[in-house]
Amino acid sequence: GPSGYVGDYEIERDQCCHGLPVWLQKGGLCQLHATSHGSWVLGRSSIAMEAKGGALLLRNHADKMPHMAGDNWERCDAQRNWVHDPDARVTDSSMFHALPVLSVSLEQDSSMCGGTYVLVPDRRINGLPVWRQREGRWHLYGSASGNWLVGKLSVDTQAKRGALLLKDHRGHLPHECMGTWERAAPGGWQPDSGIIVAEAPVPRGPPVLHVHVPNGPSLCAGDYALDPHQTNYMPVWRQMGGSCHLFAGKHSHWMIGQTIEDLEKDRGFLTLSCKDGRLPHEATGFWQRCDAAGQWHIDANIAVSVRTDTDVETPPEAMQFLRVLLPNGPSWCVGHYELLPNKRANGMPMWQQRGAERLLFGGKHGSWLIGNTSSDLEADRGAIRLKDHRGIMPQVAAGTWECSLGAAKWRADSDIAVTGAMFDSDEKDVLPLLTVLLPTGPSECSGSYSRKPSCWLHGMPIWQQVGGNWQIYTDRSGNWMLGKSPDQVQANMGILELKDHRGRMPHDATGVWNKTVEGKWQVCPEASVTDGEKSEEPPSLLHVRTQAPSTEECGDYALEHGTLIHGMPLWKRTDADNLLYADSHGNWMIALSSEEMTSDVGILTLADHRGMMPHRAAGAWERCVSNGCWQKDPDVTVKRALDTEVNNRQRNSLRCCSVQRAAHVVVR
């Protein structure tokens, strides 16, 4: 002791004593200053100090500040003698840390002064911290007599009155004092061992909260994750993938601000008064929203709720798959986007274009954006946007999407649409078989292409040549390409190109295909990609005839339904193992067995079919001769056969010719 002199002292900027600073007890009457005898003295008034009175004395300070002049402080005892007190200290007040939250519990609380007490920031009474009752008007503070009191500040502070009292604290905090608390009674103070003041833990909030702001501001919407830091002794949540914070203000209210500076200065866009210490999702009352003019308005639609672990991974309001339609471009943004689990941008879900890195995300200013790269996410920019989403998902958010014109200029485009799907497109979305026709070649690209299961590139599906290696896909610029896998696909190269598809499938896209010739693109109007269901059906029966004395290749060939080789149909001879097929180089071949077909060889060939059926392809058939060369055979013909003709030939046991099999075959 004496307890009344402990606590924080603040320097008096405009006052000196004997050339040295003066410190005043914060919220009290005591002073610390130098005397004319070169001592530091702590007392009630400067007059008492000059008269060698006071409570504490440090002799011969040698012009050193009180906290640096040593520990040889002396205390004035009851007989007014100075006695050395090794426990007396003067230290830098930044080293003094008061506990943030205290709990006061009573067995009988008729005065309603029990409960949780939170520290009042930057407030001292008689040099000591002040706590206020979170649910009421009581305060816990140090009196001028060196006691802890629970009272009402406006009435009890200087009157030394209150509801609860702990005498002679000697600088110990309320929960650290060893004495017994007393309660106010009609006859005076009465000890009450049932009064307990203890440290109260800071409430721990749920890991993730969701902020719903249907009337704005959009930048505050989304999911907030619990932050390791605290403000005003309450939890803080930070917007997932964003900069907004949900925090407790200094004046018993919850706030949502955008920056750390907002948090430090106790300002924000949304606020909710809460004096009972409840967390944001538990607090009663209505949130208020700040408008552009700085005026606050009650908004009953604002809500804060708890996210479950499942909701954090996949928000229930976010669809698993979205489809972006851009009839007017840019084509590279179109296609299918898939939800990224556990990912947020500025509190909102993110979708990634399937088979690419492009993202559909919520921007810092409350807009939906589609960016080309991850750097667009960091820079908060994109090629298309929907302003002021207000936390509503892209497929249902109101407003008109806009297309970037560059230089921070935007053009509204009412044709842009973002739609959702309740299913996995790989399982439910049935796309047609496509037919590629290239009358001017190269023939190996022609034929039928089927949807490649579970494969996407730049948000669009991929078609694979049936029984072949060619693919139809979208490049990173939004063009349809036909290339050979996998190198050309990965390099966004190909032999055919249809520019700016704008989300249309290859058979529906407008424009003219281009073909690469000697490394340059040239217009190829005769090239076409059509719906295979609408293309000409291959004939069920073909008849091969020749005048040569051989029967190995002649006869009727029946279509193998459902089987394609290098995108083209396959026919098998009705009375033998011969096969009529398209090889990997775009030629029609007749092989004597499936082994020869697998090796891409045969006994007859028609070069460069260009997607035409055997009976319609131009050119002359060639025969493999014994010397390993191919010779034209104008007598070989392939015609469409009717079932009646086949039956007649079978009844009459017709044979076209009889020759020996060639000694060998040549790989083309």
Side-chain angles (χ1 to χ4, degrees):
S3 298
Y5 294 87
V6 303
D8 288 349
Y9 285 69
E10 190 171 30
I11 194 168
E12 184 70 14
R13 297 293 180 183
D14 300 328
Q15 185 177 353
C16 290
C17 187
H18 302 294
L20 291 171
V22 175
W23 286 266
L24 302 179
Q25 190 183 43
K26 295 181 70 173
L29 303 174
C30 299
Q31 298 183 19
L32 172 60
H33 74 170
T35 70
S36 59
H37 302 288
S39 303
W40 288 112
V41 177
L42 182 65
R44 288 290 182 187
S45 67
S46 58
I47 298 176
M49 294 180 189
E50 291 295 344
K52 300 183 181 180
L56 290 177
L57 171 71
L58 179 68
R59 303 177 191 273
N60 191 21
H61 57 61
D63 291 332
K64 293 182 179 179
M65 296 297 105
H67 64 294
M68 302 176 67
D71 297 332
N72 297 318
W73 287 87
E74 300 174 44
R75 173 173 48 85
C76 185
D77 64 12
Q79 289 75 37
R80 306 300 297 171
N81 296 319
W82 291 106
V83 181
H84 177 65
D85 188 345
D87 296 324
R89 295 284 189 278
V90 176
T91 60
D92 183 349
S93 65
S94 63
M95 300 171 61
F96 180 78
H97 300 285
L99 281 176
V101 183
L102 297 175
S103 66
V104 177
S105 58
L106 301 87
E107 293 180 354
Q108 297 179 357
D109 191 11
S110 58
S111 59
M112 303 296 291
C113 61
T116 302
Y117 283 70
V118 296
L119 189 70
V120 179
D122 304 323
R123 180 74 186 272
R124 294 291 187 271
I125 294 179
N126 297 309
L128 292 170
V130 180
W131 287 263
R132 64 169 176 80
Q133 190 184 33
R134 180 175 278 164
E135 301 86 0
R137 300 179 60 184
W138 295 92
H139 287 75
L140 196 164
Y141 61 93
S143 72
S145 303
N147 306 319
W148 284 115
L149 277 171
V150 174
K152 296 181 179 178
L153 286 185
S154 60
V155 177
D156 303 329
T157 306
Q158 300 302 329
K160 304 179 184 179
R161 295 182 301 184
L164 304 178
L165 169 74
L166 179 69
K167 293 180 179 179
D168 197 16
H169 55 64
R170 301 196 178 186
H172 293 292
L173 296 177
H175 68 293
E176 298 173 335
C177 295
M178 301 301 294
T180 300
W181 284 81
E182 303 177 35
R183 67 166 60 248
W189 294 101
Q190 293 183 357
D192 187 345
S193 59
I195 301 173
I196 299 175
V197 177
E199 178 182 356
V202 175
R204 179 167 180 82
V208 180
L209 293 177
H210 179 71
V211 177
H212 180 62
V213 286
N215 303 318
S218 296
L219 58 88
C220 295
D223 292 338
Y224 288 68
L226 188 66
D227 193 86
H229 301 93
Q230 300 172 1
T231 59
N232 299 308
Y233 323 113
M234 295 295 282
V236 175
W237 289 264
R238 179 168 181 169
Q239 194 178 46
M240 297 176 67
S243 59
C244 290
H245 289 76
L246 196 167
F247 62 94
K250 297 178 181 178
H251 305 289
S252 302
H253 55 270
W254 289 105
M255 298 201 77
I256 295 181
Q258 187 176 20
T259 64
I260 293 293
E261 186 179 4
D262 288 343
L263 187 148
E264 294 172 348
K265 294 187 176 182
D266 207 33
R267 66 188 183 193
F269 300 102
L270 302 175
T271 184
L272 173 66
S273 178
C274 182
K275 297 185 180 297
D276 57 4
R278 296 187 182 184
L279 297 177
H281 61 290
E282 300 171 334
T284 57
F286 295 117
W287 284 80
Q288 296 184 58
R289 172 170 44 87
C290 187
D291 63 16
Q295 301 297 316
W296 290 96
H297 304 278
I298 293 176
D299 190 338
N301 294 317
I302 297 174
V304 177
S305 57
V306 177
R307 285 289 205 198
T308 65
D309 292 341
T310 303
D311 292 347
V312 172
E313 181 177 3
T314 306
E317 68 273 14
M319 299 198 71
Q320 183 73 17
F321 298 97
L322 295 177
R323 185 180 181 188
V324 178
L325 303 174
L326 288 160
N328 306 316
S331 295
W332 58 263
C333 291
V334 306
H336 287 76
Y337 288 70
E338 186 171 3
L339 182 69
L340 294 176
N342 292 313
K343 295 287 187 180
R344 301 290 191 281
N346 300 297
M348 304 303 290
M350 298 169 57
W351 290 262
Q352 184 173 12
Q353 192 181 44
R354 305 190 74 180
E357 296 182 356
R358 299 181 181 105
L359 296 171
L360 194 165
F361 61 94
K364 296 178 182 178
H365 303 289
S367 301
W368 286 115
L369 292 164
I370 293 183
N372 192 17
T373 63
S374 57
S375 61
D376 287 344
L377 171 63
E378 297 170 0
D380 201 46
R381 66 190 177 204
I384 64 171
R385 75 174 182 184
L386 179 66
K387 294 177 64 177
D388 197 20
H389 56 62
R390 301 189 179 184
I392 308 301
M393 296 298 102
Q395 75 276 9
V396 291
T400 301
W401 287 80
E402 299 175 309
C403 184
S404 175
L405 301 176
K409 296 181 179 179
W410 297 85
R411 171 180 54 82
D413 188 344
S414 58
D415 293 328
I416 298 176
V418 176
T419 61
M422 295 300 293
F423 53 82
D424 186 334
S425 299
D426 288 334
E427 299 175 354
K428 302 294 184 180
D429 191 10
V430 179
L431 294 171
L433 194 73
L434 299 181
T435 299
V436 176
L437 295 177
L438 287 166
T440 58
S443 296
E444 62 263 31
C445 302
S446 301
S448 296
Y449 288 69
S450 64
R451 169 80 166 84
K452 193 173 182 180
S454 303
C455 289
W456 297 79
L457 190 62
H458 304 297
M460 302 297 285
I462 298 175
W463 281 263
Q464 174 91 34
Q465 188 184 45
V466 181
N469 295 324
W470 293 86
Q471 295 185 9
I472 301 173
Y473 58 92
T474 294
D475 69 6
R476 65 172 60 93
S477 300
N479 308 316
W480 284 114
M481 302 284 289
L482 191 151
K484 200 167 187 178
S485 61
D487 296 337
Q488 289 185 333
V489 176
Q490 294 176 351
N492 280 268
M493 299 171 58
I495 197 167
L496 286 181
E497 174 194 60
L498 180 64
K499 287 185 173 295
D500 198 17
H501 56 63
R502 301 189 178 183
R504 293 177 176 269
M505 297 297 108
H507 60 292
D508 287 332
T510 58
V512 178
W513 288 82
N514 298 318
K515 182 172 69 173
T516 180
V517 179
E518 297 180 353
K520 297 181 180 179
W521 290 107
Q522 294 183 0
V523 176
C524 185
E526 60 273 14
S528 66
V529 177
T530 59
D531 185 344
E533 299 295 330
K534 300 177 181 178
S535 301
E536 179 186 5
E537 290 288 336
S540 298
L541 288 167
L542 291 175
H543 182 70
V544 178
R545 182 188 298 273
T546 179
Q547 298 300 323
S550 171
T551 61
E552 288 183 310
E553 66 271 13
C554 294
D556 296 315
Y557 288 73
L559 179 69
E560 294 287 298
H561 292 280
T563 302
L564 297 173
I565 304 297
H566 300 112
M568 302 301 286
L570 171 69
W571 290 265
K572 183 178 180 181
R573 186 170 166 178
T574 56
D575 57 352
D577 293 332
N578 296 14
L579 297 168
L580 198 167
Y581 71 99
D583 68 8
S584 60
H585 303 287
N587 309 313
W588 286 114
M589 299 282 287
I590 293 180
L592 296 177
S593 66
S594 58
E595 289 78 10
E596 288 187 353
M597 182 183 72
T598 303
S599 301
D600 230 18
V601 297
I603 58 174
L604 289 177
T605 184
L606 178 64
D608 200 14
H609 58 64
R610 302 187 179 184
M612 304 300 290
M613 295 295 105
H615 63 296
R616 291 190 173 182
W621 285 80
E622 300 176 46
R623 182 183 298 278
C624 181
V625 296
S626 58
N627 58 6
C629 298
W630 292 91
Q631 292 183 354
K632 290 185 178 180
D633 188 344
D635 294 329
V636 176
T637 59
V638 177
K639 295 184 177 180
R640 187 167 189 160
L642 300 176
D643 292 340
T644 54
E645 295 176 352
V646 175
N647 294 333
N648 289 335
R649 281 193 291 272
Q650 291 176 345
R651 285 194 299 269
N652 297 328
S653 299
L654 293 177
R655 290 289 182 265
C656 300
C657 51
S658 177
V659 297
Q660 294 182 350
R661 179 179 177 180
H664 62 278
V665 294
V666 178
V667 178
R668 296 280 293 179

